[in-house]
Amino acid sequence: MGSVRKASAWLGLVEDSDDRYYDDEYPEGTETSGGEAWVTDPRVRVVAEAAEEKGRRIATITPDGFRDARGIGEMFRDGVPVIMNLTSMEPADAKRVVDFAAGLTFGLRGSIERVATRVFLLTPANTQIVSGEPAGRANSGFFNQS
């Protein structure tokens, strides 16, 4: 199976005929009850259930290796913005995860933005990133008295 076909199958765009691609290492029954958020992996944290109902969820993922890219893809594919913290990864694996995330965001028409050194924000197509600068601040400074 070619790499493009594998990526398409992983994203759910085509039927997967290669069972070797998937592993069964993810724990089953990770859903929680009560006020805790639904999580697919222990390394993924999502805001409270009330925010999930309003569609205000952001996932933060700190992968240990490239095998954790699946969790990133699942969250992003569900329309959840993802913050990837790659500071605990080896540089070669971190580069692979960034390449994967770049392809993921391109394929799903999202965007990827570097937030800090080895920390990236993946945003779905329907999410707008708002800058922290107040409106009109660039044009009207304290010393601009004209």
Side-chain angles (χ1 to χ4, degrees):
M1 180 182 266
S3 61
V4 173
R5 178 123 176 109
K6 284 182 184 179
S8 298
W10 189 86
L11 292 172
L13 301 175
V14 296
E15 184 73 11
D16 184 20
S17 61
D18 188 7
D19 292 332
R20 295 176 300 146
Y21 183 71
Y22 297 102
D23 58 358
D24 294 331
E25 292 185 17
Y26 290 94
E28 293 188 23
T30 57
E31 295 184 41
T32 59
S33 59
E36 296 181 66
W38 174 78
V39 190
T40 59
D41 188 52
R43 292 169 291 233
V44 179
R45 294 187 310 254
V46 183
V47 294
E49 194 173 293
E52 184 177 348
E53 292 173 4
K54 295 179 182 178
R56 298 179 184 167
R57 300 187 310 159
I58 298 176
T60 59
I61 301 178
T62 306
D64 295 331
F66 184 72
R67 296 179 65 84
D68 298 328
R70 181 176 180 173
I72 296 167
E74 287 173 349
M75 295 301 286
F76 189 79
R77 187 175 56 188
D78 290 340
V80 177
V82 176
I83 298 173
M84 294 188 317
N85 183 354
L86 306 177
T87 55
S88 64
M89 293 184 70
E90 294 293 324
D93 283 341
K95 184 179 184 320
R96 289 179 66 197
V97 170
V98 170
D99 289 344
F100 167 78
L104 179 69
T105 56
F106 178 78
L108 295 175
R109 301 193 189 283
S111 64
I112 183 171
E113 182 176 327
R114 184 172 161 244
V115 177
T117 303
R118 298 178 82 178
V119 177
F120 297 88
L121 171 64
L122 310 176
T123 53
N126 61 352
T127 305
Q128 179 183 7
I129 300 173
V130 180
S131 173
E133 294 293 319
R137 182 176 178 186
N139 296 333
S140 61
F142 179 75
F143 294 107
N144 187 3
Q145 301 294 323
S146 50

